[in-house]
Amino acid sequence: KFKLLQDTKDRGGLALPNWSIYFKASAIIWIKDWCTLKDKRLLAIEGHDLPLGWHKYLWSHKPSVPKSFTDHWVRKNLFRIWALEKPRSWPKIPRWYSPEEALTKPTLMDQDSALTYGQILQGLEMKPYQQLQQEFHQERSVHWWLYNQLISKFHQDKSKFGIQESPSEIDDVLFKNEKKLLSKLYKYFLSFHLADEQIKETMIKWAVNMGKEITLAKWEQSWKNLKLLTPINLKENYYKMLYRWHISCTKLAIMYKIPSDCWKCKKQPGSYYHLWWTCPMAVKYWKMVNWIIKQTLEIQIELAPETFLLSIFPPEVTKQQIQNLQYVITAARVAYAQTWKRE
């Protein structure tokens, strides 16, 4: 699947870019300025014609957004992405949402000082009027009319959307640290896109062939060990093994209606696992490789398919030994693949 190749390298993928996710991440970064209300220049340019605040449109009680908001070609396209992403990333109204900004015309207030739910709520209940006056008496005044408006807005929002009790995962990504924000958001959205591919189909096939369970931790160790290989052709061989890209006799038999006998032993159907491990010629080859490892590297390892085919090493093998074994075993696989159709 092309989808698997877009997975990150630490999960066995090739990290090929998914441009639709990059586009969505870029749009959410732009929308972030609507959420934080800090970039006054951008907000003034994009929202000069808005009758109410930005947050009024991010969570609207009406079934459709007013045409006055979507008439702007930038707002229209960004809001379309926001509407698709909001149910998953923000199922409830977050704490950074400002009910005061949503109720006021932007030109009539300083948006930086607009009160948010994180400031006026204690848990999931409104703070008393006297407490808000004491907390903000040096920065601004909180008069009783505004307080009544905030209470009314809070009850409406709580009954229709619900209020988050704590920051969501995407809030931590967006607002905690802006360094490499696009990369962080891309990985966040990619994890949702590939959530159903945590266990890859080829991983299941390898476990079935070997007749044993290969835990996700072992696969992650194998993907981590791949970083120890520098030559591209050796990394290429690993990915070919993981995704079973070598064309076997049985696959060719299905494609061209030809005999499926193994090219090496001529006795059994040449399945992928048979060609690499159970064929008598393959068994002889891997025994020879294991003997060379004992003689040259002085490392005693079990002749196991997960070690020689997938680079999943036993826990007692040290990091330095793994690096040496990676090169020898991968080079042996490359040499074996070069004689794929020969005895």
Side-chain angles (χ1 to χ4, degrees):
K1 293 180 181 179
F2 183 71
K3 185 178 180 181
L4 295 178
L5 303 184
Q6 295 174 337
D7 209 344
T8 56
K9 291 183 179 179
D10 57 354
R11 282 167 37 98
L14 289 174
L16 297 182
N18 185 315
W19 298 117
S20 63
I21 293 180
Y22 263 119
F23 175 73
K24 179 165 66 173
S26 302
I28 294 297
I29 289 176
W30 193 325
I31 295 172
K32 176 191 173 188
D33 290 321
W34 300 357
C35 303
T36 59
L37 305 172
K38 291 182 179 179
D39 192 340
K40 295 183 179 180
R41 182 174 177 275
L42 182 139
L43 296 176
I45 293 173
E46 294 183 7
H48 64 93
D49 57 343
L50 292 181
L52 292 172
W54 288 93
H55 288 194
K56 173 68 175 178
Y57 304 100
L58 295 181
W59 270 275
S60 176
H61 289 270
K62 296 182 179 179
S64 59
V65 180
K67 193 171 183 298
S68 59
F69 185 84
T70 55
D71 272 347
H72 193 288
W73 67 275
V74 173
R75 295 197 302 252
K76 178 180 180 181
N77 290 287
L78 291 176
F79 191 83
R80 177 174 54 84
I81 297 170
W82 166 261
L84 293 173
E85 188 57 36
K86 182 175 67 173
R88 184 177 65 188
S89 297
W90 292 280
K92 296 181 179 180
I93 294 182
R95 310 291 278 195
W96 50 258
Y97 179 85
S98 173
E100 181 185 7
E101 196 269 347
L103 295 169
T104 313
K105 187 175 177 61
T107 55
L108 299 179
M109 68 173 297
D110 185 0
Q111 292 170 310
D112 282 346
S113 63
L115 297 174
T116 65
Y117 275 138
Q119 294 172 309
I120 66 175
L121 295 184
Q122 193 164 12
L124 289 178
E125 297 298 331
M126 283 282 294
K127 293 179 180 178
Y129 175 58
Q130 292 79 7
Q131 183 177 346
L132 287 180
Q133 278 188 317
Q134 292 175 0
E135 290 180 2
F136 298 101
H137 73 280
Q138 293 182 346
E139 302 172 15
R140 51 163 302 161
S141 61
V142 181
H143 50 79
W144 66 270
W145 174 247
L146 172 61
Y147 184 75
N148 287 332
Q149 285 183 306
L150 294 178
I151 288 180
S152 176
K153 178 82 167 113
F154 166 68
H155 288 307
Q156 291 177 11
D157 290 342
K158 186 178 179 181
S159 62
K160 186 173 180 63
F161 303 109
I163 308 292
Q164 287 182 357
E165 295 187 42
S166 58
S168 62
E169 184 180 353
I170 192 170
D171 288 337
D172 292 336
V173 174
L174 268 177
F175 304 117
K176 276 196 172 181
N177 188 355
E178 295 191 2
K179 189 176 181 181
K180 297 183 179 180
L181 184 56
L182 179 59
S183 177
K184 292 177 183 176
L185 264 183
Y186 175 79
K187 290 179 180 178
Y188 171 81
F189 291 132
L190 186 66
S191 65
F192 280 101
H193 181 63
L194 298 173
D196 57 338
E197 301 291 348
Q198 184 75 15
I199 303 299
K200 300 174 175 60
E201 183 181 351
T202 54
M203 295 161 60
I204 298 174
K205 288 182 178 179
W206 278 116
V208 170
N209 287 151
M210 296 177 190
K212 63 174 75 172
E213 180 186 7
I214 305 176
T215 62
L216 184 59
K218 290 183 178 180
W219 283 108
E220 289 174 346
Q221 177 218 2
S222 175
W223 300 330
K224 185 178 180 181
N225 292 338
L226 183 61
K227 297 179 181 179
L228 301 175
L229 290 176
T230 304
I232 297 299
N233 60 329
L234 297 187
K235 289 187 177 182
E236 176 189 350
N237 175 265
Y238 174 83
Y239 284 112
K240 285 182 176 180
M241 295 299 299
L242 171 62
Y243 291 109
R244 304 164 74 101
W245 283 343
H246 302 92
I247 299 179
S248 62
C249 306
T250 51
K251 185 175 288 187
L252 283 174
I254 295 172
M255 294 166 61
Y256 299 108
K257 310 300 181 184
I258 58 176
S260 62
D261 294 341
C262 173
W263 293 310
K264 299 183 183 297
C265 68
K266 314 289 186 184
K267 296 178 181 178
Q268 298 183 29
S271 66
Y272 192 86
Y273 188 68
H274 172 82
L275 284 167
W276 275 104
W277 193 254
T278 58
C279 175
M281 301 295 290
V283 172
K284 181 179 178 181
Y285 178 79
W286 290 117
K287 284 182 177 179
M288 180 190 68
V289 172
N290 196 24
W291 179 82
I292 292 173
I293 289 173
K294 292 177 185 177
Q295 296 298 316
T296 57
L297 300 181
E298 298 180 353
I299 301 174
Q300 183 79 21
I301 57 172
E302 182 185 357
L303 187 64
E306 63 266 27
T307 300
F308 285 84
L309 301 184
L310 299 173
S311 300
I312 299 176
F313 299 99
E316 61 270 14
V317 182
T318 65
K319 184 176 181 180
Q320 183 59 48
Q321 289 176 332
I322 287 176
Q323 186 168 9
N324 295 332
L325 287 170
Q326 277 274 70
Y327 278 97
V328 174
I329 293 175
T330 309
R333 290 200 302 260
V334 172
Y336 187 82
Q338 290 174 347
T339 61
W340 186 242
K341 297 183 69 173
R342 297 200 299 270
E343 296 183 9

